[in-house]
Amino acid sequence: MNSQGTTQGAARGRGTRIVHSITQVRRAVAAWHGQELTVGFVPTMGALHAGHRSLMRRSKRLCDRTVVSVFVNPTQFGPREDLRAYPRPLSADLKACREEGVDLVFVPSVATIYPEGFGTKLKVGDLGNLWEGRSRPGHFDGVATVVLKLFSIVTPDVAIFGQKDLQQSVVIRRMVSDLNLPVRVVVSPTVRENDGLALSSRNVYLDRLSRNASAGIYQSLRWARAQIKEGETRAGRLRTRMRRMIEDGGYFSLDYIGFCDPLTLTEKAGARRPLAILVAVKCVTPGPAQGRRYIDNLVIR
Ligand code: AMP
């Protein structure tokens, strides 16, 4: 039940509007704000799965109205990352949004977001060069730029991001604070497969053997958490054993394991709480998953 006293059933009754233009989004949100309704926003790149759906549900619990954007943002892809191959199952995505009772789905074209002559870009500071940023230069500048644009179009009261992309959520929090944006950022827990693999649109590329081996990523994080809770602080020892669990069988190669502060993501000398453990791996199995990155993390308070 939200502040209007509506329930999910009533929300379904309202229907899901799909819009492509900035004006349509602005009009809808202005009307809601005019009725003193709060607006939650879930930015996505589509290929929606249960992880995205959990963010929509969180938004619906927190706010009177929910807006989802589906936009594969070209500026966050590197030159060697395959933007064109990114999955775009739009009708399945719209179905998912309808099933979740989303009020408005914003599906802009690239030209709507980056019209001819577009030139202003956001530069994320040092945070953008750590961890994922080291392997994906410019990635977080692209993320921050598009999220700022989407915030300025949607003007949400609350924006919901997944903990799965922990560094992204830290970058967005930093941007919101640095630029005094009037939006509350909420980070929602990672949704996982039964064996612990974090849901991701990239998981479909894993064949049976590499999919089995991928469970080692979360297993290594859980193992490290248990060790730390028993008093282990030697990052080197934890890292060595985690690497073995991840690379076992030869399906994945480790990019990094980071022991860092959960708020700033600066590296910690010892694995002491509060702690975020970040993992990034690359699939090395020949086939469609080869070369793809998989990331995960755990925060230990
Ligand atoms: P993407 O479409 O990959 O840009 O992701 C859109 C949002 O969904 C981001 O805030 C992600 O962190 C979040 N997300 C992706 N995978 C998961 C997951 N397994 N659990 C929770 N949130 C997720």
Side-chain angles (χ1 to χ4, degrees):
M1 193 81 82
N2 56 29
S3 67
Q4 257 216 324
T6 51
T7 60
Q8 198 177 25
R12 281 216 188 91
R14 273 199 308 270
T16 302
R17 261 187 84 198
I18 294 106
V19 300
H20 302 277
S21 83
I22 292 171
T23 315
Q24 287 169 305
V25 178
R26 285 201 199 283
R27 278 208 192 113
V29 175
W32 291 330
H33 279 156
Q35 298 166 59
E36 308 224 329
L37 298 172
T38 56
V39 176
F41 177 44
V42 181
T44 81
M45 298 210 299
L48 303 178
H49 51 61
H52 299 108
R53 284 175 180 247
S54 76
L55 306 187
M56 299 175 200
R57 284 180 205 161
R58 185 77 180 268
S59 170
K60 287 178 62 81
R61 284 199 298 276
L62 291 172
C63 296
D64 301 308
R65 296 291 184 270
T66 290
V67 179
V68 170
S69 62
V70 176
F71 179 63
V72 182
N73 175 37
T75 65
Q76 70 188 69
F77 285 76
R80 284 188 310 277
E81 297 173 358
D82 202 352
L83 166 67
R84 277 182 34 206
Y86 198 88
R88 290 166 172 83
L90 186 60
S91 50
D93 288 346
L94 298 177
K95 182 165 174 274
C97 291
R98 281 191 202 100
E99 284 169 3
E100 295 303 332
V102 167
D103 296 285
L104 189 74
V105 189
F106 178 39
V107 192
S109 67
V110 173
T112 296
I113 298 297
Y114 300 112
E116 187 75 19
F118 179 86
T120 308
K121 284 179 195 138
L122 217 55
K123 183 109 189 66
V124 174
D126 294 342
L127 193 49
N129 302 321
L130 296 172
W131 311 118
E132 276 305 279
R134 211 175 296 156
S135 301
R136 306 181 70 186
H139 169 69
F140 289 112
D141 294 345
V143 169
T145 302
V146 80
V147 171
L148 178 61
K149 280 182 65 87
L150 291 168
F151 281 2
S152 137
I153 293 164
V154 177
T155 64
D157 301 281
V158 180
I160 299 96
F161 293 86
Q163 190 192 316
K164 155 84 172 26
D165 301 282
L166 184 67
Q167 189 172 2
Q168 170 170 282
S169 70
V170 173
V171 164
I172 299 300
R173 277 194 200 284
R174 181 82 258 161
M175 172 184 82
V176 164
S177 159
D178 287 349
L179 303 182
N180 309 98
L181 303 179
V183 54
R184 179 157 79 94
V185 174
V186 168
V187 178
S188 210
T190 304
V191 177
R192 301 177 178 283
E193 300 283 2
N194 286 337
D195 64 0
L197 177 67
L199 294 192
S200 161
S201 55
R202 292 174 185 171
N203 294 355
V204 295
Y205 299 115
L206 296 167
D207 63 20
R208 193 175 54 82
L209 294 175
S210 48
R211 173 65 192 80
N212 286 343
S214 67
I217 303 167
Y218 186 55
Q219 272 162 19
S220 77
L221 282 163
R222 288 185 45 163
W223 174 82
R225 177 172 61 190
Q227 292 290 304
I228 290 161
K229 287 197 166 160
E230 281 176 21
E232 179 61 82
T233 58
R234 292 166 294 179
R237 188 182 161 270
L238 293 168
R239 197 177 272 120
T240 305
R241 177 74 186 274
M242 286 176 75
R243 174 192 285 274
R244 216 175 301 146
M245 295 170 88
I246 290 165
E247 294 187 338
D248 184 39
Y251 299 98
F252 293 93
S253 91
L254 185 68
D255 184 0
Y256 60 78
I257 296 174
F259 295 93
C260 55
D261 181 278
L263 296 179
T264 63
L265 300 190
T266 49
E267 187 155 20
K268 287 193 166 190
R272 289 194 177 79
R273 290 181 265 182
L275 185 74
I277 314 178
L278 309 179
V279 174
V281 308
K282 212 174 236 182
C283 184
V284 290
T285 321
Q290 190 168 29
R292 290 185 199 273
R293 294 169 64 73
Y294 293 84
I295 59 171
D296 202 349
N297 68 81
L298 267 188
V299 175
I300 312 169
R301 305 266 172 213

